[in-house]
Amino acid sequence: MDKRSGVLGWNAVGLIGVIALLHALATLYGWYYTIRWFDIPMHVAGGVWVALWFAYDIVSRRRWIDGRRFMPFLVFGIATVALVGIVWEFYEFFLDIIVLKSYALNAAPGYLHFDTLKDLFDDILGGVIALCLTWFWFFRGRLEGAE
């Protein structure tokens, strides 16, 4: 593992710590319901975290795709971010409707669909930004250094 992949891993660890702290505070103080836009940066940050984790895993551990090729790296990274985002949306649905009963299941189905799609878009937006920056920072530098 070289220095850049170690930095990538520690950035992912630090970011998930910040996300977890903010999520705990937002859940405790009801920020998701009182600050209407609060979930947007949280989902973008979540997408960034998943992308950093994906890039770290590809770069320093598994190497199951060739990270030097941008499109496979981007496509598999986006797929990973989307999958984690979908699982998180099921968690939110279960928590909001089944456990907390914050919404009635049939009260505003259009809103629930819009919110879910917006959240997935925010996840993927954060993931794409992080994947592009990570690839240009890590792999492009590695390619230039190899020449």
Side-chain angles (χ1 to χ4, degrees):
M1 174 169 55
D2 69 5
K3 185 177 180 179
R4 285 185 286 185
S5 62
V7 169
L8 192 61
W10 282 111
N11 283 335
V13 169
L15 182 58
I16 195 62
V18 170
I19 291 170
L21 176 66
L22 287 174
H23 178 65
L25 291 171
T27 303
L28 182 65
Y29 293 112
W31 293 345
Y32 290 119
Y33 305 106
T34 58
I35 305 171
R36 303 293 288 167
W37 53 265
F38 188 77
D39 71 324
I40 296 171
M42 292 298 289
H43 276 279
V44 171
V48 168
W49 177 76
V50 173
L52 287 176
W53 169 78
F54 171 82
Y56 172 75
D57 198 48
I58 293 302
V59 166
S60 62
R61 299 186 56 206
R62 303 203 199 286
R63 301 173 194 229
W64 50 273
I65 65 168
D66 184 4
R68 294 173 295 177
R69 295 181 55 216
F70 179 69
M71 285 311 291
F73 178 79
L74 185 65
V75 168
F76 280 103
I78 290 171
T80 303
V81 170
L83 179 63
V84 172
I86 289 168
V87 170
W88 185 262
E89 286 304 309
F90 276 107
Y91 162 77
E92 279 187 0
F93 177 82
F94 178 77
L95 189 66
D96 285 344
I97 293 179
I98 308 298
V99 176
L100 299 175
K101 299 185 189 310
S102 299
Y103 305 107
L105 185 56
N106 61 355
Y111 173 74
L112 293 176
H113 295 151
F114 172 78
D115 184 62
T116 299
L117 289 176
K118 179 193 65 64
D119 291 348
L120 289 173
F121 175 80
D122 294 337
D123 294 335
I124 292 170
L125 176 67
V128 167
I129 291 169
L131 288 165
C132 290
L133 291 176
T134 301
W135 190 85
F136 282 106
W137 176 65
F138 190 84
F139 290 110
R140 189 166 181 217
R142 182 175 280 184
L143 292 175
E144 289 172 358
E147 293 177 352

